[in-house]
Amino acid sequence: MTTPEYAKPPVVDQSTWRAALDELRAREKAATRELDAIAAQRRRLPMVEMPDYVLIGANGPVRLAEVFDGRSQLIVYNHMWTDGATWQCGGCTGFTSQFTRLDFLDLYDARFVIVTNGPIDEALAYKARVGNAMDWYSSSESSFAADVDAPPGEGFAVNVFMRHGDTVYRTWHTNGRGTEQLSHTFPLIDLLPWGRQEEWLDSPEGWPSRPTYSGWLDSPDIAKLYGDDAH
């Protein structure tokens, strides 16, 4: 098979390359400072008290406050779900498969879990099928998902909560491309000269380009790499 010949960045001398890098670095540093300012504003967000939801865990019903497992802070990824499907959302499956080591959150009095609208038995079976490392919970018997902007059949989200005793508060939410800030895959790919190689990108003429999402690993691919049958 012949490898397609794509355009490449121009070749320049060291000083020209360094000058171009320094120009870009100024923008990168400005973006870092802006992200610091955004994080500072996020730390000053007010919060809203949540009802006493009951979710379903591996061992049965569990109050939302108990999902914290004694910690004060909780990150929830609301996973898209279709009841009875062998393979769930590839984007959600690929995104959550990145998080294989979460013990560092213990040092920050925090936990990261998945909540889906699917039945708990299906959810736990899927967790094993794709080798997901997080604990899963089901909101199939409560309005929790709809109340945190991730209703059944309508998408995914990240929600963050704080607990004080048995009272839980919602502190932050994002969805869509807002979830990229939690990812390490896209930041790594964006460092590459050809970037994500998706057709919506602002790339130079001749750069490789393909339909959006077509380069992503789908759920069966994740299962082959990390699922129970992969080992």
Side-chain angles (χ1 to χ4, degrees), residues 54-165:
V54 175
L55 306 181
I56 311 298
N59 298 315
V62 56
R63 296 172 61 202
L64 179 59
E66 296 171 325
V67 174
F68 285 71
D69 197 24
R71 299 166 182 83
S72 299
Q73 302 170 104
L74 179 71
I75 301 168
V76 170
Y77 184 83
N78 298 97
H79 198 294
M80 291 182 68
W81 191 266
T82 301
D83 288 356
T86 300
W87 301 111
Q88 301 296 335
C89 169
C92 290
T93 304
F95 178 84
T96 56
S97 71
Q98 301 174 81
F99 303 101
T100 58
R101 177 184 165 268
L102 293 167
D103 50 289
F104 67 92
L105 287 174
D106 291 340
L107 301 174
Y108 295 88
D109 194 18
R111 192 180 187 212
F112 193 168
V113 303
I114 289 177
V115 174
T116 184
N117 292 304
I120 189 61
D121 56 342
E122 289 188 21
L124 294 177
Y126 188 72
K127 173 184 184 292
R129 188 177 308 133
V130 298
N132 194 279
M134 301 183 210
D135 284 336
W136 282 54
Y137 298 86
S138 169
S139 59
S140 61
E141 298 182 20
S142 80
S143 64
F144 173 77
D147 295 345
V148 297
D149 301 295
E154 293 189 27
F156 60 95
V158 173
N159 281 281
V160 180
F161 304 93
M162 176 171 279
R163 181 184 64 86
H164 184 261

Side-chain angles (χ1 to χ4, degrees), residues 177-218:
R177 292 193 64 202
T179 62
E180 287 186 12
Q181 63 184 287
L182 282 72
S183 170
H184 70 255
T185 55
F186 291 126
L188 285 176
I189 296 169
D190 286 341
L191 294 178
L192 301 174
W194 285 332
R196 302 187 196 186
Q197 304 174 39
E198 295 189 354
E199 57 192 4
W200 62 273
L201 293 175
D202 178 5
S203 296
E205 186 70 27
W207 252 231
S209 180
R210 57 193 173 197
T212 304
Y213 312 129
S214 63
W216 296 18
L217 292 175
D218 203 356

